[in-house]
Amino acid sequence: MNTFRAYPTVGYRPALLLVTVAAVMLTLDGIWTPYSYWIDELFSVVASSETPSRLFWHWIMVDVHPPLYQFLLQGWISIFGAGETATRSLSALAALATITLLTVTGLRRPRLAPLAILLLAMPYLYYNGQETRSYSMVYGFAVLLLLAQLEGRERLLRLTLVLLAWTHYFGLLLGLSLLFARLLMARRLPRGDVVAGLLMLSWLPLHLHFGLLGSNVSGFWIAN
């Protein structure tokens, strides 16, 4: 551990700033030029343009994802409209927030600079920052979860676990994997982790009971 801490990290800063600038440019490249929605984006926009009740029962309950992003997008559309640039800007904002978080972390904690550079260099980040889907938000929450774990910020970690699980089911799997790893390392889960785990799982039985999760929804997609 002492050897790791003593490893020179100042040399990473120019690379970190360079990758940050590139990530921002790639995230914003083309965001102001409208181009056709693809089918998943179209689903997001049409669903979130509905009333909250219809969004929940007619769209979210037949979708294969948790509801957080769709409700956030609904609020975003009510303020900025349902245009392509407007709706995609929510994802761009999530990507830019992630870029900022990683850059600030790398500058303030030089030992994490290589990790920040690696995560900033992922094409997934800026590619999905230009789509009206939840993926850039999932990436951002996953990064926040990783940093919270590395820095021992327990309250932030548990909050992020819940937000990630309610954004995407891949986020739920990632969060449960982290909780399982924490259980193996500590031989027990603190009460806060148990509460976070229950909140993470709370949407799943609702979706299974009232929705069409696990069913064949191809007819619904084609019809809509």
Side-chain angles (χ1 to χ4, degrees):
M1 182 63 70
N2 290 335
T3 302
F4 175 73
R5 288 178 176 175
Y7 192 83
T9 54
V10 176
Y12 286 112
R13 291 183 179 180
L16 175 61
L17 294 175
L18 180 62
V19 173
T20 296
V21 172
V24 171
M25 292 178 64
L26 289 169
T27 298
L28 297 178
D29 179 45
I31 193 70
W32 312 117
T33 304
Y35 53 93
S36 297
Y37 288 125
W38 67 292
I39 186 170
D40 283 12
E41 286 185 296
L42 194 59
F43 179 95
S44 294
V45 174
V46 173
S48 291
S49 299
E50 299 273 16
T51 64
S53 175
R54 185 166 170 80
L55 166 61
F56 184 82
W57 291 108
H58 184 73
W59 296 91
I60 288 175
M61 279 302 178
V62 301
D63 197 10
V64 293
H65 299 301
L68 180 59
Y69 171 76
Q70 288 297 156
F71 278 115
L72 289 176
L73 180 62
Q74 184 179 64
W76 191 264
I77 287 175
S78 69
I79 298 173
F80 300 104
E84 293 171 32
T85 299
T87 60
R88 287 175 176 144
S89 63
L90 177 59
S91 297
L93 181 63
L96 292 174
T98 305
I99 292 169
T100 301
L101 173 63
L102 286 169
T103 303
V104 170
T105 298
L107 292 175
R108 290 184 175 179
R109 297 167 178 78
R111 67 187 180 88
L112 295 179
L115 175 63
I117 292 172
L118 175 64
L119 294 176
L120 283 169
M122 294 292 180
Y124 184 94
L125 173 61
Y126 47 81
Y127 177 82
N128 289 293
Q130 299 186 32
E131 288 191 337
T132 308
R133 293 295 284 168
S134 64
Y135 308 130
S136 65
M137 190 176 297
V138 172
Y139 192 93
F141 283 144
V143 167
L144 186 59
L145 183 67
L146 173 62
L147 296 178
Q149 172 65 30
L150 291 174
E151 298 180 3
R153 301 182 64 178
E154 296 295 299
R155 291 184 178 179
L156 178 61
L157 182 143
R158 290 160 184 160
L159 174 61
T160 307
L161 281 171
V162 177
L163 293 175
L164 187 56
W166 278 65
T167 302
H168 199 287
Y169 279 122
F170 284 157
L172 174 62
L173 294 176
L174 175 62
L176 291 177
S177 299
L178 177 60
L179 287 179
F180 182 67
R182 286 163 65 89
L183 174 62
L184 292 179
M185 291 187 293
R187 302 297 178 88
R188 61 181 295 273
L189 283 179
R191 182 183 302 175
D193 283 10
V194 174
V195 172
L198 292 175
L199 290 174
M200 290 165 62
L201 291 167
S202 59
W203 168 252
L204 185 57
L206 294 175
H207 205 174
L208 287 169
H209 181 71
F210 293 105
L212 297 179
L213 184 64
S215 303
N216 183 0
V217 296
S218 58
F220 168 84
W221 280 79
I222 293 171
N224 284 279

